[in-house]
């Protein structure tokens, strides 16, 4: 099926890779017990730390933040296409309904597209399935 995209298939594949990296970083972090764990030691922070008692959040991997920034940098048309592809990959729409999915994505875009998409546990899988459904 031929669709006219604002986003290039290469860019979409790159987003799939970034989403997989962010998901892997998040999943792997729980094993060592330090994923997004707040560390607060009153004695240490008051004696030697410049933030004087503030809690700090550990973030060793910035993959998720990078993915969010990339998605936030997309324009309205690109964002709508990305959401439509995810919906097609998830089975909400058929590939033949791509134009309708894009239109619906534009109409429903009330909040951050990046937060919406990265909040999906299977975002990368749905996006990749959408690419395949559209023969891209």
């Amino acid at each position: 099926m031929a669709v006219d995209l604002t986003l290039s298939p290469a860019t979409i594949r790159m987003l799939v890779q970034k989403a997989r990296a962010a998901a892997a970083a998040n999943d792997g972090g729980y094993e060592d017990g330090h994923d997004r764990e707040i560390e607060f030691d009153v004695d240490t922070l008051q004696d030697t730390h410049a933030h004087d008692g503030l809690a700090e959040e550990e973030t060793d991997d910035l993959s998720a933040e990078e993915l969010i920034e990339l998605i936030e940098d997309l324009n309205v048309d690109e964002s709508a296409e990305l959401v439509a592809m995810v919906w097609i990959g998830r089975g909400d729409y058929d590939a033949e309904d791509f134009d309708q999915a894009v239109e619906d994505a534009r109409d429903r875009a009330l909040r951050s597209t990046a937060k919406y998409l990265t909040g999906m546990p299977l975002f990368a899988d749905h996006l990749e399935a959408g690419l395949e459904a559209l023969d891209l």
Side-chain angles (χ1 to χ4, degrees), residues 36-129:
R36 310 229 190 306
E37 180 178 305
I38 302 290
E39 290 189 7
F40 187 75
D41 181 3
V42 176
D43 295 331
T44 304
L45 291 175
Q46 286 180 352
D47 292 338
T48 62
H49 200 275
H51 290 288
D52 196 29
L54 294 177
E56 290 187 356
E57 186 174 344
E58 288 185 12
T59 53
D60 297 331
D61 192 322
L62 302 176
S63 301
E65 293 167 12
E66 182 181 3
L67 176 63
I68 288 170
E69 286 180 19
L70 288 169
I71 296 171
E72 285 177 346
D73 285 344
L74 299 176
N75 66 37
V76 174
D77 294 330
E78 294 167 337
S79 294
E81 288 175 0
L82 194 64
V83 170
M85 275 186 256
V86 169
W87 288 346
I88 289 169
R90 189 168 71 178
D92 298 342
Y93 291 83
D94 291 327
E96 297 79 30
D97 300 325
F98 178 74
D99 292 334
Q100 182 63 50
V102 171
E103 185 177 322
D104 290 348
R106 273 194 202 102
D107 292 343
R108 296 179 192 171
L110 302 175
R111 296 190 186 133
S112 168
T113 300
K115 288 182 183 179
Y116 169 68
L117 293 174
T118 59
M120 290 182 183
L122 299 174
F123 167 53
D125 293 338
H126 295 318
L127 184 55
E128 189 170 50

